[in-house]
Amino acid sequence: MAEQPWVQPYPVRPQQMYGQPWQPAPTAQSAMRASNTDRDRTVDVLKAAYAEGRLSRDEYGQRFDAAYKAQTYGQLAQLVADLPAGPMPGPFGAAAGLPAAYGPAPMPMPMPLPMPMPARRVNGMAITSLALGVLSLPTLGLAGLGAVATGHVAKAQIRARGDEGTGLATIGLVLGWLSVGGWVLLFLLAALGVLD
């Protein structure tokens, strides 16, 4: 009886067979700008890999953030280079001509559940701005300048990092500017002699 040739049950990239890290080969498409749809497709692959246990929560969160910041196809390809693009179609085991040692054909996997979006953290400076803004009322506006300064820093950090807390920073800024404005008005009235 002729021995049947062994068939690889899943595709292996040549570099992976020798234990080297795999990087996608640069192509003309690597430099092309990616669209929102391309980013969504990449995130779908990451979600499936996370659901299958191929990525830890931290890896998933890092790659998720990087996918939405990616500008080109090459950057997106690097995020999923070590992950399968989806379940492999076709027969396995005896149906594929493999020896019985490879076991029966696996059952088809159900579709992975949608993964929740990683929670974005609330910016600490926004919380500080709100706290100082609220404290400017009982301190007669002394904390207002701190509320204004931390509010502007918080707005800049939120834009740069994509943190949560825009509303908190805005409320802190409004309360801070009101208390600073109150002090300025008080000094102007004192300088004009209205308060004498």
Side-chain angles (χ1 to χ4, degrees):
M1 179 174 168
E3 189 175 314
Q4 295 186 5
W6 182 75
V7 179
Q8 180 75 26
Y10 53 88
V12 174
R13 297 180 176 103
Q15 293 88 343
Q16 286 178 330
M17 288 192 293
Y18 304 109
Q20 301 171 0
W22 186 81
Q23 290 293 324
T27 64
Q29 258 191 338
S30 296
M32 279 181 64
R33 306 245 340 152
S35 69
N36 288 335
T37 306
D38 299 321
R39 292 181 193 92
D40 290 342
R41 282 191 206 112
T42 302
V43 167
D44 287 343
V45 173
L46 294 174
K47 286 179 183 177
Y50 179 72
E52 295 169 356
R54 297 176 193 276
L55 295 175
S56 68
R57 179 180 286 275
D58 291 338
E59 288 173 312
Y60 172 71
Q62 291 168 358
R63 292 187 191 201
F64 181 92
D65 292 339
Y68 281 110
K69 291 178 184 174
Q71 298 295 317
T72 64
Y73 282 146
Q75 292 169 336
L76 291 175
Q78 287 180 351
L79 295 174
V80 294
D82 59 341
L83 301 173
M88 293 301 299
F92 289 90
L98 295 175
Y102 288 102
M107 298 298 292
M109 290 185 62
M111 289 297 289
L113 296 173
M115 295 305 302
M117 299 277 281
R120 296 190 304 174
R121 65 180 184 165
V122 178
N123 186 279
M125 293 299 272
I127 296 170
T128 305
S129 176
L130 176 64
L132 289 173
V134 170
L135 285 175
S136 67
L137 300 174
T139 61
L140 302 176
L142 295 178
L145 197 55
V148 170
T150 55
H152 284 295
V153 170
K155 290 274 192 172
Q157 288 179 352
I158 288 169
R159 279 192 300 273
R161 299 183 201 162
D163 292 345
E164 294 286 338
T166 304
L168 301 176
T170 302
I171 294 169
L173 279 169
V174 169
L175 293 174
W177 279 118
L178 285 174
S179 65
V180 169
W183 276 104
V184 168
L185 182 63
L186 185 67
F187 285 129
L188 285 176
L189 291 175
L192 295 174
V194 176
L195 298 178
D196 291 338

